[in-house]
């Protein structure tokens, strides 16, 4: 049934060519089109996937691909479309013996297209193994004036190998790595790495599958040269030759995309291998007397692992062995016995690739003595060395300090490093933005009276309110530390958003007080000198500085100016907004005093 329908399609040339624009992401103009194919709309072979699946199953893949190529070329010439044509060709087709005889060039001559305008886009449907033959075929096509593109980089069976072997003029990043890139730091890093390789190799990168404005702007900011996708334009039988107005406006607007952020510890993935100390082990056959002599010869040695054929079986600690030998008759009774007699037969053992977070959790859940005894580090079950609880705590503490620079562990908002990086990107991109420094008033006495857990709740509340009133695709919310936050607004209505933040905060913060303090609008407590002092409810101060292009040159200047605006805001009682403008100064107090 499907075979007869396929033969009918071939016989009557019932194939339709569609074209999807490919644009220059930096210049905002169409540079070419990818030629696509569809079967009859009322047929199960309408989809190209079904069409080629049935064709290959019936040994008609070559015939169908030839027909598709001819239909696309003829229609491209008929429409007189500008720029280049990206023509899909399977590697196996390229390797067909007759493919070298210039059939594609013959089609092009017939329809009057210059070969230099045609890009042979290699699309993998099955593995490619004969790289020498592929390289020879590509050289043959280049000799005829064609350029080469590799499709779906990162998705195919061997696309990275093909890139290395063929050195194409273009590579297309598979849409999996483009869609949702504004929410996924791993996809961001993948695309960034591909761009770095492309710059070194002189290859032009094309991002496929751009479906949202956020993806479009982020791809542009990564300096990816070309892009295509439904957000730009869908495949059409008669495509436009001008970029859609809204897309052109987006690309030309001086804004920068908000990069997705890694979690606090993703920047510091450290394993047990970093804690490895080389500690000589003893065999189970060794006697307690011999182990005692090892300890006596090395006064700083506190623990000795027992290892049988490279597999750790226990630990002997200096205090335990010496304590036992100090008791009457124990040395005489057990001195010549195996050292396994007094060893801890259930030591804590961890693989060298275990993350320090996992290891820390294991120690917390284990018996207390493991923290002082330390732990054995192995490689695939084989003994490598030892790690100490002290080293683990020191490293975890340092990781927490480093992680807080990237993401605050309390609010999970970006910390100082990504804040500064985003400001520098805004400045480098010539973007207009407003830097809003947010700080809590009367927070320290609240923390002292109500406790740090309640204080943490208010800090988390502040972070949530700031995030709720920002556009995640345009505005950046960071947690500087403590009760200090910063919002980098690219939204034009940033002043309205600031007002909404203050309104929301003043409505929510009273719920964190007891009923009596809420009613009186504050509470009384003693200061350091023992005097009774009344403290009003916590309020929020916002200090804003507007950054025009070329007005600031570094994140240090922005930080200084925003901090000064914040100081001015804090001078205003209650929930307040202070805006420092280039032309003058504006300040407001909201009718919800804190």
């Amino acid at each position: 049934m499907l075979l007869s329908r396929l033969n009918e399609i071939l016989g009557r040339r019932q194939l339709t060519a569609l074209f999807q624009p490919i644009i220059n992401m930096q210049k905002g103009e169409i540079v070419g089109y990818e030629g696509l194919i569809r079967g009859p709309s009322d047929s199960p072979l309408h989809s190209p996937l079904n069409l080629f699946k049935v064709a290959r199953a019936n040994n008609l893949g070559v015939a169908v691909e030839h027909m598709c190529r001819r239909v696309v070329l003829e229609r491209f010439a008929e429409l007189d479309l500008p720029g280049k044509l990206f023509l899909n060709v399977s590697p196996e087709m390229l390797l067909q013996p007759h493919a070298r005889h210039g059939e594609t060039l013959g089609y092009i001559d017939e329809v009057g297209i210059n070969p230099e305008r045609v890009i042979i886009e290699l699309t993998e449907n099955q593995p490619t193994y004969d790289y020498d033959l592929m390289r020879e075929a590509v050289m043959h096509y280049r000799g005829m004036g064609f350029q080469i593109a590799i499709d779906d980089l990162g998705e195919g069976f061997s696309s990275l190998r093909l890139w290395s072997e063929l050195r194409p003029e273009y590579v297309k990043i598979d849409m999996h790595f483009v869609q949702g890139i504004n929410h996924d730091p791993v996809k961001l890093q993948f695309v960034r790495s591909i761009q770095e390789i492309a710059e070194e190799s002189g290859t032009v990168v094309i991002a496929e599958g751009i479906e949202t404005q956020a993806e479009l702007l982020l791809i542009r900011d990564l300096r990816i040269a070309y892009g295509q996708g439904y957000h730009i334009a869908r495949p059409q039988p008669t495509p436009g030759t001008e970029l859609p107005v809204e897309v052109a406006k987006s690309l030309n607007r001086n804004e920068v995309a908000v990069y997705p952020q890694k979690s606090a510890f993703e920047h510091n993935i450290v394993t047990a291998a970093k804690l490895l100390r080389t500690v000589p082990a003893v065999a189970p056959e060794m006697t307690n007397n011999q182990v005692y002599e090892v300890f006596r010869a090395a006064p700083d040695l506190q623990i000795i692992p027992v290892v049988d054929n490279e597999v750790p079986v226990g630990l002997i600690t200096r205090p335990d062995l010496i304590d036992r030998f100090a008791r009457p008759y124990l040395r005489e009774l057990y001195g010549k016995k195996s050292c396994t007699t007094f060893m801890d037969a259930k030591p804590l053992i961890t693989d060298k690739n275990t993350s320090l977070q996992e290891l820390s959790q294991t120690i917390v859940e284990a018996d207390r003595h493991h923290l002082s005894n330390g732990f054995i580090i192995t490689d695939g079950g084989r003994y490598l060395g030892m790690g100490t609880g002290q080293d683990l705590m020191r490293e975890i503490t340092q990781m927490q300090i480093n992680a807080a620079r990237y993401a605050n562990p309390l609010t999970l908002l970006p910390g100082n490093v990504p804040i500064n990086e985003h400001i520098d990107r805004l400045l480098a991109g010539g973007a207009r933005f407003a830097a809003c420094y947010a700080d809590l008033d009367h927070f320290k006495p609240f923390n002292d009276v109500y406790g740090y857990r309640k204080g943490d709740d208010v800090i988390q509340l502040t972070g949530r309110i700031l995030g709720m009133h920002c556009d995640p695709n345009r505005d950046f919310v960071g947690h500087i530390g403590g009760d200090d936050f910063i919002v980098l607004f690219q939204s034009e209505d940033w002043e309205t958003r600031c007002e909404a933040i203050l309104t929301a905060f003043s409505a929510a913060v009273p719920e964190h007080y007891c009923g009596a303090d809420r009613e009186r609008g504050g509470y009384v407590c003693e200061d350091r000198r023992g005097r009774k002092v009344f403290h009003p409810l916590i309020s929020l101060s916002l200090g804003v500085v507007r950054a025009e292009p070329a007005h600031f040159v570094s994140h240090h200047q922005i930080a200084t100016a925003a901090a000064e605006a914040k100081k001015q805001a804090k001078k205003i009682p209650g929930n307040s907004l202070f805006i420092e403008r280039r032309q003058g100064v504006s300040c407001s107090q909201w009718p919800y005093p804190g």
Side-chain angles (χ1 to χ4, degrees):
M1 176 68 178
L2 289 178
L3 176 58
S4 61
R5 189 71 179 94
L6 178 62
N7 283 322
E8 181 184 351
I9 289 171
L10 287 173
R12 297 184 178 182
R13 291 190 54 160
Q14 295 176 327
L15 295 173
T16 302
L18 305 180
F19 299 93
Q20 186 174 34
I22 296 173
I23 68 169
N24 185 311
M25 298 289 291
Q26 309 307 319
K27 295 181 179 179
E29 58 187 32
I30 294 175
V31 294
Y33 299 82
E34 178 178 0
L36 303 167
I37 208 77
R38 296 292 185 270
S41 59
D42 60 348
S43 165
L45 302 182
H46 174 70
S47 160
L49 290 176
N50 291 340
L51 180 71
F52 282 100
K53 182 179 178 180
V54 172
R56 284 193 296 271
N58 292 279
N59 296 317
L60 289 172
V62 172
V64 170
E65 189 163 334
H66 270 298
M67 179 68 71
C68 292
R69 205 182 303 179
R70 190 169 193 117
V71 168
V72 167
L73 286 165
E74 288 176 358
R75 184 61 178 160
F76 184 78
E78 182 183 340
L79 292 171
D80 194 23
L81 292 173
K84 296 181 180 294
L85 170 64
F86 286 75
L87 191 65
N88 288 311
V89 177
S90 63
E92 58 265 32
M93 172 64 83
L94 209 63
L95 299 176
Q96 292 289 324
H98 60 271
R100 310 294 183 82
H101 299 152
E103 286 176 280
T104 300
L105 192 59
Y107 296 156
I108 290 173
D109 284 340
E110 284 182 35
V111 297
I113 301 175
N114 188 324
E116 293 181 357
R117 294 181 60 201
V118 178
I119 314 295
I120 301 295
E121 184 172 323
L122 299 178
T123 305
E124 281 191 290
N125 295 309
Q126 59 189 48
T128 299
Y129 298 114
D130 196 337
Y131 293 101
D132 290 337
L133 192 57
M134 275 293 300
R135 194 162 48 245
E136 183 184 335
V138 164
M139 289 176 63
H140 177 77
Y141 270 80
R142 279 201 178 106
M144 292 189 287
F146 298 106
Q147 290 183 313
I148 304 297
I150 292 178
D151 192 20
D152 295 335
L153 184 71
E155 190 275 339
F157 300 99
S158 53
S159 53
L160 286 171
R161 173 77 184 270
L162 275 177
W163 187 1
S164 173
E165 293 281 353
L166 305 183
R167 305 298 170 93
E169 286 76 16
Y170 302 85
V171 293
K172 283 190 168 185
I173 301 175
D174 181 65
M175 66 176 62
H176 166 78
F177 298 100
V178 173
Q179 293 170 359
I181 189 173
N182 53 308
H183 301 300
D184 192 331
V186 175
K187 290 182 178 180
L188 173 70
Q189 187 55 51
F190 177 88
V191 174
R192 179 184 271 159
S193 298
I194 292 301
Q195 176 62 14
E196 290 174 359
I197 297 171
E199 288 174 356
E200 290 294 324
S201 62
T203 306
V204 175
V205 177
I206 304 171
E208 293 185 290
I210 299 173
E211 294 193 349
T212 67
Q213 184 184 36
E215 293 166 1
L216 179 80
L217 293 180
L218 198 149
I219 291 295
R220 180 202 64 179
D221 285 4
L222 289 175
R223 307 300 298 173
I224 303 299
Y226 294 172
Q228 70 181 106
Y230 284 179
H231 181 71
I232 299 167
R234 291 176 174 268
Q236 298 287 345
T238 308
T241 56
E242 297 289 337
L243 205 59
V245 174
E246 288 304 312
V247 175
K249 283 183 179 178
S250 296
L251 289 174
N252 292 327
R253 193 180 294 143
N254 284 336
E255 286 190 10
V256 302
V258 178
Y259 285 174
Q261 301 297 322
K262 294 183 179 180
S263 65
F265 285 105
E266 282 186 77
H267 294 273
N268 299 279
I269 301 175
V270 181
T271 65
K274 186 167 184 180
L275 307 178
L276 183 65
R277 293 189 178 199
T278 302
V279 178
V282 298
E285 296 79 21
M286 209 164 185
T287 67
N288 287 316
N289 281 337
Q290 290 172 314
V291 172
Y292 179 82
E293 290 303 319
V294 173
F295 276 125
R296 199 166 69 85
D300 293 332
L301 186 62
Q302 296 298 313
I303 200 156
I304 297 177
V306 181
V307 177
D308 185 13
N309 291 323
E310 296 191 289
V311 178
V313 294
L315 288 176
I316 302 171
T317 67
R318 172 188 285 273
D320 186 55
L321 184 62
I322 291 176
D323 177 65
R324 290 175 186 275
F325 272 21
R327 298 175 189 178
Y329 309 115
L330 278 187
R331 183 166 187 178
E332 288 78 2
L333 289 171
Y334 295 103
K336 295 182 179 179
K337 292 186 179 295
S338 165
C339 64
T340 58
T341 308
F342 297 144
M343 77 176 185
D344 175 3
K346 295 182 178 179
L348 191 62
I349 301 174
T350 188
D351 189 82
K352 68 174 186 177
N353 295 318
T354 303
S355 73
L356 295 196
Q357 289 88 349
E358 292 178 70
L359 178 57
S360 176
Q361 187 62 36
T362 300
I363 289 181
V364 167
E365 295 171 353
D367 291 339
R368 187 180 302 174
H369 72 276
H370 289 303
L371 185 60
S372 55
N373 284 0
F375 42 90
I376 294 172
I377 300 175
T378 59
D379 180 7
R382 295 182 298 105
Y383 173 74
L384 286 182
M386 295 284 300
T388 69
Q390 183 181 14
D391 286 348
L392 174 61
M393 288 190 293
R394 182 188 300 114
E395 192 63 37
I396 285 287
T397 300
Q398 188 60 50
M399 285 172 59
Q400 289 174 333
I401 293 171
N402 292 339
R405 298 173 63 229
Y406 286 91
N408 189 284
L410 180 60
T411 60
L412 302 182
L413 291 171
N416 290 318
V417 169
I419 290 171
N420 292 338
E421 288 175 349
H422 190 74
I423 293 174
D424 287 340
R425 289 180 54 235
L426 287 165
L427 295 173
R432 285 183 170 84
F433 65 99
C436 173
Y437 199 130
D439 187 23
L440 298 177
D441 308 312
H442 316 296
F443 177 73
K444 187 181 184 306
F446 172 87
N447 213 35
D448 293 340
V449 171
Y450 278 85
Y452 72 91
R453 288 189 181 277
K454 280 282 190 179
D456 287 352
D457 289 344
V458 173
I459 289 174
Q460 289 174 326
L461 168 72
T462 306
R464 287 197 302 273
I465 289 174
L466 293 173
M468 286 166 51
H469 293 88
C470 292
D471 181 341
N473 294 321
R474 303 182 70 189
D475 307 325
F476 181 102
V477 184
H479 190 169
I480 297 169
D483 60 330
D484 291 3
F485 297 81
I486 192 164
V487 184
L488 303 167
F489 286 109
Q490 292 184 90
S491 298
E492 289 86 353
D493 60 345
W494 58 266
E495 194 166 348
T496 302
R497 292 176 184 270
C498 287
E499 294 172 8
I501 287 169
L502 292 173
T503 301
F505 183 85
S506 60
V509 79
E511 297 302 317
H512 293 266
Y513 290 84
C514 68
D517 289 347
R518 227 175 8 248
E519 287 180 13
R520 72 171 68 97
Y523 54 94
V524 176
C525 66
E526 292 185 355
D527 64 10
R528 293 179 180 178
R529 298 182 180 180
R531 295 177 302 187
K532 298 287 185 180
V533 179
F534 178 80
H535 295 284
L537 302 185
I538 295 173
S539 56
L540 181 61
S541 292
L542 303 180
V544 180
V545 59
R546 297 173 63 189
E548 298 290 335
H551 191 66
F552 296 92
V553 296
S554 74
H555 62 259
H556 300 290
Q557 290 182 330
I558 293 290
T560 300
E564 183 57 38
K566 181 259 298 187
K567 288 180 184 177
Q568 298 302 320
K570 289 180 77 70
K571 293 178 182 179
I572 307 167
N575 295 290
S576 58
L577 171 63
F578 177 91
I579 302 171
E580 184 174 291
R581 307 180 191 272
R582 294 178 66 184
Q583 296 81 12
V585 167
S586 172
C587 59
S588 306
Q589 178 182 357
W590 299 97
Y592 307 100

